[in-house]
Amino acid sequence: MPVNMAANFSSDVEAFIAQETLPLARRQLVVYQFGDPLTLPKGRGVVYQAARYNRVPLPFAPTSEGVPPVGQTMTVTMVSATAVQWSDKITLTDIAEMTIKHPVFQIAKQLCTLAVAETLERNTHNNLLGGTQINYVNSRGARGSLVTGDVLNLHEINRMQGALSTLGAIRFMGDEQTDMKLDADAGGARASNNPRQMPHYTAVLHTLCEQDLRENSTFVLASAYSDINKLYNAEVGELGGIRFCSSNMVPFWTGYAQTNGTAGSAGNLATASNYYIIVTGSDTQNNYESYVAQVSAAVTGVTGPNGSISVTLPSTAGYTYSVYIGTTTSPTNLGVCASGPTTGPLQGMATQLPASATVVITGIGTAQTPPAAPGTGLTVYPTYVFGRGAYGQVMLDEIKYSYLDKADKSDPNNQLRVVGWKVMYGTILLNQLFFGRIESVSNFSATFG
């Protein structure tokens, strides 16, 4: 007797798709909020400048009777930032809008809104890496000297807090004022009365470094005490006059083994006894330059004026790669490469290259310094500690969105839908003395098993 199984009717089964789309992984947007909001008036160019008149030296000795002091010279320090335009878009076809179950045009709007916020956060992190005050855990002295076990700890936090206090970094909600005739209890309410108004510095640390701190009983106790008094996005607690915020968008760097090159004769490199290369990888989601290979062995035998270097890029997926080249072990230029971008400011440079590709470096290109490499196999994280006025967000043109869903001369049949955004701004480092970063490894990772 024939039996009709379900498989016999598979062509008549209607696929089920849930009405609601699945949520995206959460990102903690933290560091943008601590920048001073600054506005660059339209019609005044793209460079924002700020001036600081420095203190004059104090007199060395008493004044002699009848003899006027020599006097002091005033000095001024200028800082500046350039507002640049960032933009992106999502393009859909009319057929996609008509045939897809979910409202893709509305989803595109939501994704663009999310991308703007994350772009501003990412760019702020990248700019803060220009800070010059760095402590390496256990006083290692360099990123490449950090070893397993050099995790964030209370000593390093105290070391940073002490340094900023000694340098006079202004605190959030602090008592630093021009009029120094203050009562002995100046500085806000007592902790027991209103801890939210106590003067403090702020810190932003990676979610994995947060876990290193959570294994310290002192931090756990202080965090529990301050839990009901949180002030900031993603704040996890307060300790020693520093309020900590955790974010999984803090950049990090992982050290990899060197990638070497081979001399060739298909370019414009000049004769040199040695060339050195460094290969880095930028993750394809945030475009942080987080894969950092050790400097290569010397590439010998490059003969000008038609010299070149062939490089086979790493096979690790999830990155696009860049190649730096120079005649010292610290290259500070991107290579020239025909496989690089065909448009934009890095056109023709050895960047945004796919994994496993073999590329030919034909010259020394745009000046750009790669991030320092951690030891091979180690991942290093920065923890920022800020005072008030450390940096600012200079806005020339606020965020603007465009929703193009009507026919026009370039699309007369209205076959395309475009969601776009743009913003023109820049992050300015207002005072290097008002912030620093601690670099450490972590005992934790995002790997399961």
Side-chain angles (χ1 to χ4, degrees):
M1 180 180 67
V3 178
N4 294 293
M5 310 293 288
N8 294 63
F9 310 109
S10 59
S11 60
D12 197 35
V13 175
E14 181 180 10
F16 174 80
I17 301 177
Q19 193 70 29
E20 298 293 329
T21 58
L22 296 173
L24 297 174
R26 178 174 177 259
R27 289 187 178 156
Q28 296 94 351
L29 307 183
V30 173
V31 77
Y32 186 86
Q33 68 181 318
F34 294 119
D36 289 352
L38 306 170
T39 301
L40 181 61
K42 291 181 173 60
R44 300 291 296 274
V46 296
V47 178
Y48 182 98
Q49 297 187 85
R52 177 183 302 105
Y53 281 88
N54 302 310
R55 286 185 172 87
V56 297
L58 303 181
F60 183 80
T63 303
S64 300
E65 183 178 355
V67 180
V70 175
Q72 300 293 342
T73 300
M74 295 171 59
T75 59
V76 62
T77 299
M78 301 295 296
V79 293
S80 64
T82 301
V84 295
Q85 188 176 77
W86 291 83
S87 65
D88 211 344
K89 67 177 181 178
I90 297 174
T91 302
L92 306 165
T93 66
D94 56 343
I95 294 177
E97 189 175 36
M98 288 187 291
T99 59
I100 301 302
K101 176 180 179 65
H102 297 103
V104 289
F105 190 67
Q106 295 301 320
I107 293 173
K109 291 181 180 181
Q110 298 168 9
L111 293 177
C112 279
T113 302
L114 190 60
V116 172
E118 292 177 356
T119 298
L120 297 180
E121 183 81 358
R122 189 275 314 271
N123 290 355
T124 303
H125 277 296
N126 283 338
N127 280 282
L128 289 174
L129 293 176
T132 56
Q133 300 193 137
I134 311 169
N135 280 346
Y136 300 94
V137 166
N138 294 327
S139 301
R140 296 296 182 186
R143 185 179 299 165
S145 301
L146 291 166
V147 299
T148 301
D150 285 341
V151 302
L152 187 64
N153 56 67
L154 298 187
H155 173 73
E156 298 302 334
I157 293 167
N158 291 336
R159 189 156 71 110
M160 180 62 75
Q161 205 273 358
L164 292 178
S165 296
T166 301
L167 292 170
I170 298 174
R171 296 171 293 176
F172 292 87
M173 300 181 186
D175 56 357
E176 294 82 358
Q177 302 177 30
T178 302
D179 181 7
M180 296 306 294
K181 291 184 178 180
L182 303 174
D183 296 334
D185 64 352
R190 295 179 183 274
S192 58
N193 294 333
N194 194 349
R196 291 173 62 88
Q197 292 185 6
M198 293 300 293
H200 59 273
Y201 296 123
T202 60
V204 175
L205 75 169
H206 194 278
T207 47
L208 296 178
C209 294
E210 175 195 349
Q211 310 318 311
D212 293 313
L213 280 186
R214 287 193 181 280
E215 294 202 333
N216 184 285
S217 58
T218 303
F219 180 81
V220 170
L221 179 62
S223 177
Y225 174 76
S226 61
D227 188 63
I228 61 173
N229 300 300
K230 292 179 179 179
L231 294 176
Y232 303 111
N233 294 339
E235 184 177 341
V236 296
E238 183 270 342
L239 178 67
I242 301 176
R243 304 191 80 105
F244 289 85
C245 296
S246 174
S247 172
N248 58 3
M249 280 200 72
V250 173
F252 55 83
W253 309 274
T254 302
Y256 289 84
Q258 62 186 198
T259 297
N260 295 310
T262 305
S265 57
N268 301 304
L269 289 175
T271 301
S273 56
N274 295 310
Y275 280 97
Y276 297 89
I277 62 173
I278 291 177
V279 173
T280 66
S282 300
D283 69 274
T284 52
Q285 181 60 56
N286 295 324
N287 279 309
Y288 280 134
E289 207 167 7
S290 54
Y291 177 116
V292 190
Q294 310 300 324
V295 64
S296 73
V299 182
T300 60
V302 176
T303 304
N306 301 314
S308 63
I309 296 175
S310 177
V311 182
T312 299
L313 298 175
S315 59
T316 305
Y319 297 93
T320 60
Y321 291 91
S322 301
V323 181
Y324 295 82
I325 184 172
T327 55
T328 72
T329 55
S330 300
T332 55
N333 293 80
L334 285 169
V336 175
C337 177
S339 303
T342 56
T343 60
L346 295 178
Q347 180 179 352
M349 297 296 107
T351 189
Q352 298 178 341
L353 304 168
S356 301
T358 298
V359 297
V360 178
I361 307 303
T362 59
I364 296 178
T366 299
Q368 185 169 302
T369 302
T376 300
L378 290 181
T379 299
V380 172
Y381 305 86
T383 294
Y384 307 98
V385 183
F386 307 108
R388 180 166 55 86
Y391 62 100
Q393 308 291 9
V394 180
M395 192 68 66
L396 174 58
D397 192 20
E398 63 185 12
I399 302 166
K400 294 180 178 177
Y401 297 94
S402 57
Y403 309 115
L404 308 179
D405 58 353
K406 300 293 188 295
D408 59 22
K409 291 183 179 179
S410 63
D411 182 24
N413 293 329
N414 198 22
Q415 294 172 285
L416 301 177
R417 314 283 185 265
V418 181
V419 179
W421 62 266
K422 65 178 181 178
V423 60
M424 196 160 187
Y425 93 109
T427 298
I428 182 172
L429 303 183
L430 295 171
N431 196 327
Q432 291 275 3
L433 298 181
F434 285 7
F435 77 106
R437 72 177 185 266
I438 305 167
E439 294 199 1
S440 67
V441 300
S442 176
N443 284 333
F444 296 85
S445 75
T447 303
F448 291 88

